[in-house]
Amino acid sequence: MAEPRRRALLAALAATPAILARAARAQPSPAPIRVPVLERLRAGIDLEGTATAHDGATTGPGGLAVEVGEFIADGLGVTLDLVRTTATTAVADLCAGHFDLLLNAPPLTIEAAREMLYADPYAALDLVAIAPRPLQLRSIAALRGRRVAAQAGHALHLLPSRVPVDRMEVIALPDLPALAAALADRRSEAAIVTSPIASAMVAMHPALEVKLTLGTVWVAPACRFGDHDLLQAVNTMLYIARQEGTLQALHQAAYDRPLPRPPFF
């Protein structure tokens, strides 16, 4: 190869990355996904004792569910409006049209699946049994005949599918302090909660410890029946978040554990 031609080829190769970078910058930003008639995303959020959302005294609602809602709304090109709900009224509020998307829907059960369209999950939590250190609980069968506390809401809804509730006395309590108090004064022998709540209880009361892992709780958004355009758009945004690694990073930051490969509902 003649020297002038060789120098010209090398110069062209050296310039290629810069040319590609300029071309990439020149590309317009991806247009947001548009959902017909959706101008704002009204998203229901349960802030009462959940492991996916909390209400800061000065910062307002926060947590993984809120961050996922913000990512979805941004991808849809709309404003996020958070609408507060509770575990006991969330499904009814969604069905009544108080909001369009329930960010932290109750765990998927046959009953819940009859009421809502579930999107793909964005979080995985363990459902665990926690008790004072001296109490020996080596298997789920050891819970039979015991007085067990559970938080009203998500964990309570899951109990029939995970533990022999017909052979134990279940006490429904409203929040984490009530659960800890019930264990401290021996009104209950054990409590069943999600893993982040268990970690918070152990930090507050070192005499407690996690005894059993009862299974995985998958957390997902949910839409009303018939809102298939919104469901498809939400799943698209969750897919993008997984492919980019955004969802994995948010999950690791929130729970100090990786997001397992999720099931698809």
Side-chain angles (χ1 to χ4, degrees), residues 97-111:
H98 296 167
F99 41 79
D100 307 299
L101 181 70
L102 178 55
L103 288 174
N104 47 357
L108 182 61
T109 61
I110 293 174
E111 292 74 20

Side-chain angles (χ1 to χ4, degrees), residues 84 122 172 189 193 205 240:
R84 301 188 185 212
Y122 61 81
E189 297 175 82
V193 294
H205 303 279
I240 291 171

